[in-house]
Amino acid sequence: MSDVRFEAPSSLSEAVKILAGAKGPSRALAGGTDLIVQMENDLLEPDLIVDIKKIPELRAIKPEGGGFRIGATVTSMEMIEDASLCAKWPGVIDGVKLIGSIQVKGRATMAGNLCNASPGADSVPPLVAAGALARIVGPNGTRESPVEKIPVGPGKTSLAPGEIIESFFLPERPRNSGDAYLRFTPRTEMDIAVVGVAINLTLDSAGVCTQARVALGAVAPTVLLVDECANALIGTRVDEAAIDKMAAAAAAACKPIDDKRGTREFRIKITSVLAKRVAQKALERARHTA
Amino acid sequence: MSKKHHITTIVNGDEYEALCETRHTLLDVLRDELRLTGTKEGCATGDCGACSVMMDGRLVCSCLVLAVEADGKSIDTIEGMASGNELHPLQTKFLELNGLQCGICTPGFLIAARALLERNPDPTESEARYWLAGNLCRCTGYDKIIRAVLSAAAEMRGA
Amino acid sequence: MTTILKKPGFNPDRKYKIIGTSPVKHDGFDKVTGRAKFAADAFLPGMLVGKVLRSPHPHAILKRIDTTQASKVPGVKAIITRDDFPEIKQGTGGGDMTRLAMAREKVYWEGHPVAAVAATSESAAKKALKLIEVEYEVLPHVIDPVEAMSPDAPILHDYMRTKGAKGPDAEKPTNVVERHALGIGDVDKGFAEADVIVEGTFDTKPMHQGYIELQSCVANYSDDGQVDLWCCTQAPWVYRDRLTEILKIESSKIRIQQSELGGGFGGKTTFYLEPLSVVLSRKAKCPVKMTLTRVEVMRATGPVSGTQSTIKMGCKKDGTIVAVDSTLVFQTGPYTGSAFTNAPQAMLTRYDLKNVRTVSYEVVSNRPKVSSFRAPCVPQVVFGVEGLIDELATKIGMDPIEMRLKNAIVEGHKTIYGETFNRIGFVETLEAAKACDHYRAPVPKGQARGIACGFWFNRGGETTGSMNLAPDGTVTITLGTADVAGSRMSMAMMAAEELGIPVDRVRAVLADTHSLGYNRVTAGSRTTFSSGIIVVDSARKIITELCRRAAKIWNVPEEGVVFEDGVCRPASSNVGEFEPLSIKDIAHKTTYTMGSISGHSEMNVTGAGPGFAVHIVDVEVDKETGLTSVKRYTIIEDAGKAISPAQVEGQFQGAAVQGIGWALNEEYVYGSDGRLQNPGFLDYRMPVASDVPMIDTVIVEVPNPKHPFGLRGVGEVPLTPAMAAIGNAIGHAIGIRPRSLPMSPPKVLAIIEEARARGVLPAG
């Protein structure tokens, strides 16, 4: 017996209409790599699944205003295969590359990674560091939201009933910008971040940091965008002292828990270590991009 | 009342039809409905790669695809890897170099390795290891699998 | 039938044509094309799907089960509970077995079966499971074995008294199944002679065998009471006899056919779904297929014992180990079965020690019953033993291999458990390790090296098999042991070698339990040795018969015929001038001689040659995160004689990577509620391909004098030293050797900080 209604509309308005009209628990299906696992493990029993992959405008990566618009159903592999995106936003790609296996990346999307609202989602810290905006479509129209405003706690988002993510916007980058993401996991692959750190920074022609965003994953109920970290870098040449100060601010900002994937104490220590390594990587990239 | 979905899928070049519930995965339908049991279930959560198949040319875990999503898609499974009596070079190398012990992970490794070589005909050891990180093997320690993949790649390049 | 292995021993002068080559495995073709039939690949007409309801509590009284509502779900054909199983007294072997299959008075672990449903679809079965009402009276639980020994620990079984216990507490209810003491000499006197003494307490966590194939079975209970059971198992005959015991069905009515085995490593020596599927099929009057999910495999099938070992060891300045004292604690599940006595017997067996004391305890706990895993209970303890030897070697400034050579045992050694060894190859293995490229290479900058040694008895035991000669001269073998990694091919090779025919003319298949007599479980590295002897014996019976037939064809006396290089020929010209007869020539004429030719053999095989290994590993430890990367790994091990070297290497390599997993990340993480927190591959963290390097191998061949080809088992030995070798390498990298498995980043980082505080690791 099939108790779960399945719809695969071909337009965004239709998808929104179906989801907004849902009475019981409903889910939009993009890559399915979290949704199907939760159903398999009996953690989720939706009444309605709406496959949004047949909606054309959700499926593309397009240049827009010097940056990129990435549709909600674009898979990780499609992003990894987009050379211009990889060249411009390598830190975002760092995160996307870490979402599961090649098989999983063949299906998984950033929108799903974000809406699953796991504090350890690998694509979220780099999106937040990038200042990415999510375009959300719902019964009351379209709105734009900074990515960091979408998850509000583990498994919870700020999306209203019937709302879905339509796309992400990665803005145009000034010259000499670099971003990077690293996570700590005991295994090299197929693991969930114990800590994740993303840094996006811009240097001026003299090598002084003019803009920075630092985002931390898996150390709080949601990804943290830490202004103190950014402030530690801005106005410096991102030298060792500045990086140390930024790393200390990152450690101070952590509010992690003890769980099967790591202890509180360990997470705080690793945050500081990763923050330093990511800063070096982002700096290196900023220096080498035109 | 109950409603099953009728799906039509091209598997290894042949058209198949099946009925499925929404919660059935592509893996469920391949195995239980089409009886193509070469695709294996090891976890049903995308963590072992034993159910790897190609869907419209893309490597995926069939346990992470709803069967209804496969409607109208083209699926390639292990059963279609050899062409006629001719084994794929990867299959031959897995045999010759003992790249399998119990064999339960083998179909998934072969499908994933073929996808690697189609994309990168000359992978390094490290590239092969990272590409295949989504495929768990508990018998071999991966050594002979990786050697088989690299050796098949060399043979396919004519090296 | 009598055994005719005329020269059962090893013949050093024999030259091989097939043994020692690595032909493509016959079973490989179906495995690379997807046609190999594993347990879950079977379908029967009218088959139902069975699912299990499991306890959410680690310890509770099972007060009431009500299946009324569940049985009303459309499509449900049978529901079974404890009431469908015969009562067998608690505290007996059968009583334990039936309670493991289906809870009776209490549930003993999170995941303990309390009911099962057979229905026309999985959805219907799952819907019914949700409607089964179970009333539990939750009890305090205990999982850690040391806690389970404390006087105020929750008691699992009121009836349990410690076997082997002495003193006033011997009559009190306890969680300690058994106290086992084993030793020689005078430990106090030994320590008095020591120049250096080290001691430590080591602990290891439960880890899972991690086979990729989910347990699955199809049972068909026919109306005349005949059971046909298809399943993945390392022990068809053991399953049959246990089903006979707990279901009271005669063995002649239970036919078990093993499927391809998708990994076992000891974990498929105990049944889980099989009794449930049989009872469901009997009740539903349909075949029933049951398959575990990965979560069920993790929650409800055999992880290995968690352990704690407290070991003290002393040596003289010249490296002679003079005394070892140890107290060992082994966690089992709710019932005995950890095989913990392996540990005191094997932990030191490779060193010539005069003074040893061991006291071992097996302790019940609220987790699934322990199941075997490569050298059950030994690697956990070797982690401590080889760690302390390494510490002693460091303290006296001796090379770690030299230290082991100084104490190594040789032929004629009488073990602590009473066996006297025949020819063994430990010294040769150590010498090969010393000479290998890896050990001779300098340790790369930023890395550290560890070595450790291991031993396993290797096993024989009851084994039967048959060999049939077809009229076209080809040969089939029916094996009673399971093929866990390629033994069908090894058997075909041994038969072909003995019969002098190409290996492609031989095929080996796996028997069902009706086709052969009893076969002991396929475990303990016994298969290639034991079934190998059966195969050689069967082949020699065929050869004897071939000679008899040739004599008949030539009309000469039987003793006038000899068999050489695959043909019968006259023993001498005195017998007469005859063209040699090949196997094929004779097979073709069996209708006209005395009928078909076959060989059969059954033995309680003895003479398994012990095996020894040395592991060398180079690691790099990230001193900021505690993350360990294995950079280079070499296994040096005595295989006696490698029948198929590629398969032997595969055993070494697979074990090494299992050891890397156990050493670095794999563990069962329980919450304070006694529930498993990481019941899946994602969070259980077995090594993936990118986590490990190539695994180098050196096969040492010191023939086992008790096997015609000299072979020794190779499956268990290569796991035994793995965690110890990695622990030693990490210890050298960070200044203090970890004493707790897994040596995961948080633990290693804490040790790094301690090492810096103690000044044994430079800062920065």
Side-chain angles (χ1 to χ4, degrees):
Chain A
M1 279 194 298
S2 183
D3 298 328
V4 190
R5 184 177 153 213
F6 179 85
E7 301 289 347
S10 53
S11 79
L12 198 50
S13 57
E14 205 185 332
V16 168
K17 197 172 138 195
I18 296 167
L19 280 164
K23 298 202 169 50
S26 60
R27 284 290 187 281
L29 168 66
T33 54
D34 287 312
L35 176 61
I36 296 170
V37 171
Q38 287 161 8
M39 287 168 64
E40 165 67 23
N41 288 338
D42 296 321
L43 300 171
L44 179 71
E45 290 178 68
D47 289 343
L48 168 68
I49 292 174
V50 180
D51 184 356
I52 57 172
K53 289 191 292 298
K54 293 195 171 153
I55 303 167
E57 58 265 46
L58 270 55
R59 289 169 58 174
I61 304 173
K62 286 182 208 152
E64 182 180 310
F68 296 88
R69 181 155 297 280
I70 302 164
T73 65
V74 171
T75 65
S76 303
M77 286 307 281
E78 286 165 344
M79 289 180 67
I80 293 165
E81 288 161 5
D82 188 311
S84 60
L85 180 63
C86 291
K88 273 287 181 209
W89 288 101
V92 173
I93 298 298
D94 287 341
V96 165
K97 277 185 175 168
L98 290 167
I99 303 175
S101 60
I102 304 293
Q103 288 87 331
V104 167
K105 287 192 280 256
R107 294 264 295 164
T109 65
M110 290 197 300
N113 203 220
L114 181 63
C115 292
N116 189 48
S118 159
D122 286 309
S123 70
V124 179
L127 279 177
V128 169
L133 293 174
R135 180 174 289 165
I136 298 157
V137 181
N140 299 321
T142 302
R143 65 186 177 96
E144 308 275 338
S145 167
V147 164
E148 58 269 28
K149 301 284 187 208
I150 292 176
V152 294
K156 294 193 176 67
T157 69
S158 58
L159 297 186
E163 282 192 329
I164 55 174
I165 293 183
E166 184 239 64
S167 60
F168 295 97
F169 178 67
L170 286 169
E172 183 176 16
R173 310 195 75 175
R175 293 170 63 87
N176 297 324
S177 296
D179 67 331
Y181 173 74
L182 285 176
R183 68 172 185 186
F184 181 81
T185 54
R187 292 194 289 183
T188 50
E189 283 282 328
M190 302 304 290
D191 218 329
I192 301 290
V194 176
V195 174
V197 178
I199 299 178
N200 173 28
L201 54 80
T202 302
L203 307 176
D204 66 14
S205 55
V208 174
C209 178
T210 56
Q211 178 278 139
R213 285 168 69 91
V214 178
L216 311 178
V219 292
T222 61
V223 168
L224 299 176
L225 177 65
V226 187
D227 289 341
E228 293 79 1
C229 291
N231 294 339
L233 299 177
I234 293 168
T236 74
R237 304 181 74 87
V238 197
D239 51 18
E240 206 179 316
I243 290 175
D244 285 350
K245 200 173 155 198
M246 181 275 298
C254 293
K255 296 185 285 269
I257 54 165
D258 285 331
D259 71 4
K260 62 190 172 190
R261 293 175 183 140
T263 61
R264 192 186 124 76
E265 188 196 1
F266 182 69
R267 284 190 157 111
I268 293 172
K269 283 178 192 155
I270 298 302
T271 301
S272 157
V273 172
L274 281 195
K276 291 180 197 174
R277 293 179 184 180
V278 177
Q280 291 296 353
K281 201 170 165 188
L283 184 64
E284 197 70 14
R285 283 174 175 169
R287 284 175 178 158
H288 290 94
T289 52
Chain B
M1 198 34 212
S2 68
K3 177 176 158 253
K4 280 196 173 182
H5 307 281
H6 174 251
I7 62 167
T8 306
T9 302
I10 307 290
V11 183
N12 303 323
D14 293 320
E15 188 176 288
Y16 286 86
E17 293 176 62
L19 292 175
C20 63
E21 299 173 21
T22 299
R23 63 176 304 136
H24 282 156
T25 62
L26 173 58
L27 174 65
D28 294 332
V29 166
L30 285 172
R31 291 182 51 83
D32 295 336
E33 301 299 319
L34 308 186
R35 303 280 163 94
L36 291 169
T37 55
T39 304
K40 303 300 180 191
E41 177 178 336
C43 66
T45 51
D47 299 312
C48 78
C51 68
S52 297
V53 300
M54 301 300 283
M55 183 164 75
D56 282 353
R58 182 69 79 181
L59 178 66
V60 298
C61 286
S62 58
C63 73
L64 292 185
V65 177
L66 292 179
V68 278
E69 292 183 81
D71 186 32
K73 300 254 198 273
S74 176
I75 310 295
D76 292 306
T77 71
I78 187 65
E79 286 89 351
M81 190 156 177
S83 49
N85 290 327
E86 190 86 4
L87 291 179
H88 188 280
L90 278 162
Q91 291 172 307
T92 307
K93 287 297 177 188
F94 269 60
L95 286 172
E96 287 175 0
L97 301 181
N98 229 40
L100 59 113
Q101 286 183 30
C102 82
I104 192 88
C105 71
T106 310
F109 266 101
L110 287 167
I111 293 289
R114 185 179 61 180
L116 167 66
L117 300 189
E118 281 167 1
R119 189 185 167 96
N120 179 358
D122 189 11
T124 63
E125 179 193 332
S126 176
E127 285 167 345
R129 286 185 180 277
Y130 275 87
W131 182 275
L132 296 170
N135 292 77
L136 282 176
C137 171
R138 191 61 155 175
C139 294
T140 65
Y142 303 107
D143 184 299
K144 294 188 191 304
I145 291 177
I146 300 298
R147 288 181 199 279
V149 171
L150 298 179
S151 173
E155 187 176 297
M156 289 165 73
R157 291 194 310 272
Chain C
M1 200 182 284
T2 52
T3 299
I4 66 155
L5 273 175
K6 283 173 189 153
K7 285 179 281 179
F10 176 70
N11 173 5
D13 301 324
R14 186 163 175 181
K15 298 279 179 283
Y16 298 114
K17 291 197 175 97
I18 294 166
I19 302 296
T21 65
S22 298
V24 168
K25 292 196 296 185
H26 295 152
D27 54 293
F29 291 86
D30 278 355
K31 289 175 176 172
V32 299
T33 55
R35 266 177 264 171
K37 207 168 156 189
F38 292 86
D41 299 337
F43 297 85
L44 287 181
M47 189 175 84
L48 303 174
V49 178
K51 298 294 289 178
V52 182
L53 182 69
R54 296 178 182 278
S55 165
H57 307 294
H59 194 195
I61 296 169
L62 195 47
K63 301 194 75 167
R64 187 181 63 90
I65 308 173
D66 185 342
T67 60
T68 317
Q69 292 306 312
S71 63
K72 292 176 186 163
V73 172
V76 169
K77 300 295 179 189
I79 303 179
I80 57 167
T81 67
R82 56 192 176 185
D83 297 336
D84 295 277
F85 290 79
E87 165 61 21
I88 305 175
K89 191 175 180 306
Q90 289 196 68
T92 62
D96 290 357
M97 265 186 273
T98 191
R99 283 166 180 80
L100 287 167
M102 182 69 88
R104 291 184 83 76
E105 299 82 6
K106 281 165 118 187
V107 292
Y108 287 109
W109 73 93
E110 182 219 12
H112 199 159
V114 294
V117 174
T120 51
S121 72
E122 184 174 325
S123 305
K126 284 172 103 169
K127 191 172 281 184
L129 290 185
K130 288 191 181 127
L131 293 172
I132 297 174
E133 294 171 29
V134 185
E135 192 185 326
Y136 298 98
E137 182 183 327
V138 177
L139 300 171
H141 68 274
V142 63
I143 292 173
D144 180 83
V146 177
E147 281 173 31
M149 292 176 80
S150 77
D152 54 350
I155 295 289
L156 271 70
H157 311 292
D158 290 333
Y159 59 79
M160 188 168 277
R161 303 291 180 275
T162 303
K163 193 175 147 194
K166 299 179 190 80
D169 288 344
E171 283 311 308
K172 276 172 56 180
T174 175
N175 292 322
V176 181
V177 182
E178 185 177 352
R179 179 189 185 277
H180 172 89
L182 186 68
I184 46 164
D186 182 336
V187 171
D188 297 328
K189 194 168 143 251
F191 280 119
E193 292 168 16
D195 294 316
V196 186
I197 294 174
V198 291
E199 57 185 310
T201 296
F202 301 83
D203 74 88
T204 70
K205 295 287 186 295
M207 65 86 76
H208 198 272
Q209 292 82 356
Y211 39 80
I212 309 299
E213 183 197 29
L214 305 163
Q215 270 101 337
S216 182
C217 63
V218 182
N220 187 27
Y221 189 101
S222 72
D223 282 357
D224 71 344
Q226 169 68 40
V227 176
D228 276 290
L229 181 62
W230 159 270
C231 60
C232 49
T233 173
Q234 296 175 241
W237 280 265
V238 176
Y239 280 26
R240 180 197 67 186
D241 293 351
R242 289 180 178 177
L243 288 172
T244 291
E245 187 168 359
I246 73 166
L247 300 180
K248 308 297 178 200
I249 299 170
E250 290 170 2
S251 296
S252 67
K253 290 183 178 161
I254 303 173
R255 178 167 168 263
I256 298 181
Q257 174 63 56
Q258 51 185 313
S259 67
E260 285 293 342
L261 185 80
F265 317 110
K268 288 174 180 166
T269 55
T270 304
F271 59 45
Y272 300 96
L273 293 172
E274 288 77 5
L276 308 185
S277 64
V278 170
V279 177
L280 280 171
S281 175
R282 179 166 66 190
K283 205 162 179 178
K285 298 194 173 297
C286 290
V288 175
K289 179 174 181 174
M290 301 183 83
T291 306
L292 292 178
T293 64
R294 180 55 55 183
V295 170
E296 289 181 299
V297 168
M298 298 302 285
R299 280 200 206 289
T301 73
V304 310
S305 297
T307 67
Q308 188 190 75
S309 324
T310 302
I311 308 171
K312 182 178 171 187
M313 193 180 288
C315 74
K316 290 187 185 169
K317 279 185 194 137
D318 69 355
T320 308
I321 301 171
V322 288
V324 181
D325 194 3
S326 63
T327 303
L328 314 172
V329 177
F330 298 88
Q331 175 196 47
T332 177
Y335 300 111
T336 184
S338 63
F340 74 109
T341 56
N342 285 337
Q345 294 182 7
M347 63 189 276
L348 297 159
T349 297
R350 58 203 167 276
Y351 304 119
D352 188 11
L353 303 178
K354 306 289 184 252
N355 305 299
V356 175
R357 179 164 60 201
T358 70
V359 179
S360 308
Y361 299 93
E362 187 190 43
V363 187
V364 292
S365 63
N366 294 112
R367 44 148 281 179
K369 182 194 161 299
V370 165
S371 190
S372 298
F373 180 55
R374 288 185 135 151
C377 288
V378 176
Q380 294 98 310
V381 178
V382 169
F383 174 62
V385 167
E386 291 287 318
L388 290 180
I389 294 177
D390 209 64
E391 287 183 28
L392 286 175
T394 304
K395 280 190 198 280
I396 62 170
M398 195 166 185
D399 173 89
I401 292 184
E402 292 298 343
M403 170 102 184
R404 281 143 174 115
L405 274 168
K406 177 84 189 168
N407 295 282
I409 56 173
V410 294
E411 182 175 352
H413 171 76
K414 188 177 181 202
T415 66
I416 191 172
Y417 53 94
E419 183 181 352
T420 300
F421 283 154
N422 212 314
R423 184 83 172 85
I424 52 171
F426 187 38
V427 169
E428 288 82 350
T429 305
L430 284 163
E431 293 290 357
K434 220 165 76 175
C436 81
D437 290 346
H438 187 169
Y439 201 67
R440 290 155 60 103
V443 182
K445 194 171 156 36
Q447 297 180 19
R449 180 167 296 164
I451 76 125
C453 303
F455 153 85
W456 177 252
F457 315 92
N458 292 323
R459 303 288 195 195
E462 283 169 275
T463 313
T464 85
S466 284
M467 190 178 289
N468 295 308
L469 179 60
D472 67 351
T474 61
V475 171
T476 55
I477 306 169
T478 311
L479 292 169
T481 46
D483 186 343
V484 297
S487 58
R488 274 168 294 185
M489 192 60 196
S490 306
M491 298 311 147
M493 290 170 72
M494 286 190 262
E497 185 74 54
E498 204 62 25
L499 293 168
I501 57 177
V503 71
D504 201 40
R505 296 226 184 118
V506 185
R507 279 292 187 280
V509 298
L510 306 173
D512 66 57
T513 52
H514 275 19
S515 327
L516 289 175
Y518 183 81
N519 277 273
R520 192 179 166 266
V521 55
T522 294
S525 295
R526 79 175 205 90
T527 306
T528 310
F529 172 74
S530 305
S531 269
I533 286 196
I534 294 299
V535 161
V536 172
D537 188 42
S538 299
R540 289 182 184 178
K541 282 172 178 160
I542 284 183
I543 289 167
T544 303
E545 192 59 28
L546 287 167
C547 292
R548 193 180 294 161
R549 303 298 172 93
K552 195 172 171 66
I553 291 166
W554 291 331
N555 199 18
V556 300
E558 279 173 35
E559 53 277 17
V561 182
V562 293
F563 183 86
E564 282 168 357
D565 297 329
V567 294
C568 288
R569 54 176 106 245
S572 71
S573 53
N574 294 341
V575 177
E577 292 295 327
F578 299 104
E579 281 296 303
L581 288 168
S582 70
I583 290 181
K584 190 174 171 180
D585 295 334
I586 299 169
H588 193 61
K589 292 191 172 77
T590 52
T591 310
Y592 310 107
T593 52
M594 283 174 283
S596 71
I597 297 175
S598 62
H600 178 84
S601 185
E602 53 225 341
M603 280 181 237
N604 194 346
V605 180
T606 58
F612 300 87
V614 181
H615 288 206
I616 307 171
V617 57
D618 292 355
V619 303
E620 187 174 290
V621 179
D622 181 337
K623 301 202 181 55
E624 291 184 318
T625 65
L627 183 78
T628 300
S629 307
V630 175
K631 296 296 184 189
R632 187 172 181 185
Y633 205 115
T634 304
I635 294 191
I636 304 95
E637 181 175 324
D638 179 15
K641 175 70 192 174
I643 301 300
S644 166
Q647 290 198 45
V648 171
E649 290 165 11
Q651 287 295 307
F652 292 2
Q653 291 163 337
V657 171
Q658 290 175 342
I660 290 171
W662 200 352
L664 298 180
N665 289 309
E666 292 180 38
E667 66 176 314
Y668 267 42
V669 180
Y670 283 101
S672 58
D673 57 2
R675 293 179 182 161
L676 184 61
Q677 303 287 301
N678 57 339
F681 281 146
L682 181 62
D683 285 313
Y684 179 68
R685 293 170 170 154
M686 281 163 28
V688 300
S690 50
D691 289 334
V692 292
M694 293 295 187
I695 308 293
D696 296 327
T697 58
V698 177
I699 300 174
V700 177
E701 293 187 324
V702 176
N704 170 12
K706 294 291 189 184
H707 187 278
F709 303 131
L711 74 87
R712 302 170 189 272
V714 296
E716 326 290 296
V717 185
L719 182 60
T720 54
M723 295 93 81
I726 295 165
N728 289 343
I730 294 174
H732 293 303
I734 65 176
I736 298 175
R737 187 187 189 273
R739 289 181 170 178
S740 172
L741 291 184
M743 296 175 280
S744 55
K747 284 191 204 161
V748 172
L749 187 59
I751 297 170
I752 289 168
E753 285 165 3
E754 186 194 334
R756 290 208 162 118
R758 277 167 43 186
V760 289
L761 179 68

